[in-house]
Amino acid sequence: DIQLTQSPSFLSASVGDRVTITCRASQGISSYLAWYHQKPGKAPKLLIYAASTLQSGVPSRFSGSGSGTEFTLTISSLQPEDFTTYYCQQLNSYPLTFGGGTKVEIK
Amino acid sequence: EVQVLESGGGLVQPGGALRLSCAASGFTFSSYAMSWVRQAPGKGLEWVSGISGRGGSTNYADSVKGRFTISRDNSKNTLYLQMNSLRAEDTAVYYCAKHPAELPFIDSWGQGTLVTVSS
């Protein structure tokens, strides 16, 4: 199975900051990666798929990049609603797997 | 509007069984792959199982293989997860999730149903 390692696990930042979250795969997965965020008590929501394609309706401050084994999610200017938990998911092969999550907290 | 609504969660003893259902609406159900994803209390997301639109292809996480069975009834627009030989570590919120066509990422999620395995 493909393992995904997200870093950092926790991140403290302020409104307006630029933040980057990294997701590393245990083997190459081309661009088969998605990013989600999840607010407490709510279902996750899709942000990005195919490593860099923004899901319809997602603000342009979110962007994704990478291929192979290393991927990044960047939020160009944190907004209050962005303080939540982010997950990557590999789409290359079954079983599909998620990273352990990155919680973005208010500094 | 796409909607998926889970039901069937509850308290079950270790070794017991439970069947989850997911009623779908707002899209042509048989054209879309579906998955179950779970989240243990305070933990991250774990993909559990997936099924193709027509039901001919299924996949499972290693942690549930041989114990859980995913199925669908396209005439009823309903997805199922039969869970047998339940363990304490299966305690989680179980989300029903829709894929865009047969693509592997998830574009719509239900609100989740809680399964608690405890004596």
Side-chain angles (χ1 to χ4, degrees):
Chain A
D1 299 359
I2 297 173
Q3 312 300 319
L4 296 179
T5 303
Q6 283 184 240
S7 59
S9 298
F10 296 93
L11 188 161
S12 292
S14 301
V15 172
D17 283 354
R18 178 184 180 90
V19 300
T20 298
I21 298 168
T22 297
C23 179
R24 290 187 174 87
S26 58
Q27 63 189 75
I29 58 171
S30 186
S31 296
Y32 297 112
L33 189 96
W35 290 96
Y36 304 85
H37 69 172
Q38 184 182 31
K39 297 182 180 181
K42 301 293 186 182
K45 287 188 176 180
L46 177 66
L47 295 171
I48 286 169
Y49 59 93
S52 60
T53 302
L54 206 63
Q55 170 70 345
S56 175
V58 174
S60 59
R61 63 181 180 272
F62 291 93
S63 65
S65 65
S67 67
T69 61
E70 186 154 336
F71 303 84
T72 58
L73 172 70
T74 299
I75 309 171
S76 60
S77 177
L78 270 175
Q79 297 302 300
E81 60 269 30
D82 300 336
F83 291 93
T84 183
T85 302
Y86 295 82
Y87 295 94
C88 56
Q89 181 197 22
Q90 66 83 16
L91 316 170
N92 184 75
S93 61
Y94 287 96
L96 306 177
T97 47
F98 289 91
T102 296
K103 186 173 183 179
V104 179
E105 300 178 320
I106 299 176
K107 184 183 289 183
Chain B
E1 180 190 3
V2 170
Q3 286 194 332
V4 290
L5 183 64
E6 305 92 339
S7 61
L11 175 64
V12 61
Q13 292 188 339
L18 208 59
R19 189 176 84 156
L20 304 183
S21 299
C22 170
S25 61
F27 62 102
T28 305
F29 184 65
S30 60
S31 295
Y32 295 87
M34 301 290 293
S35 280
W36 290 97
V37 177
R38 69 184 180 184
Q39 187 168 35
K43 301 297 184 182
L45 301 171
E46 180 186 17
W47 177 86
V48 172
S49 182
I51 187 169
S52 61
R54 293 181 179 269
S57 176
T58 59
N59 291 280
Y60 297 91
D62 293 344
S63 58
V64 307
K65 199 174 294 183
R67 300 188 298 123
F68 290 12
T69 303
I70 191 171
S71 63
R72 63 193 297 160
D73 185 336
N74 286 344
S75 69
K76 296 182 178 179
N77 289 353
T78 303
L79 176 73
Y80 303 100
L81 185 68
Q82 177 66 43
M83 304 185 294
N84 298 331
S85 303
L86 283 161
R87 307 166 179 167
E89 54 265 35
D90 295 319
T91 294
V93 172
Y94 285 72
Y95 293 102
C96 172
K98 170 190 166 291
H99 298 252
E102 298 293 341
L103 298 174
F105 58 94
I106 293 166
D107 64 355
S108 294
W109 302 69
Q111 86 292 344
T113 186
L114 177 62
V115 172
T116 303
V117 184
S118 175
S119 54

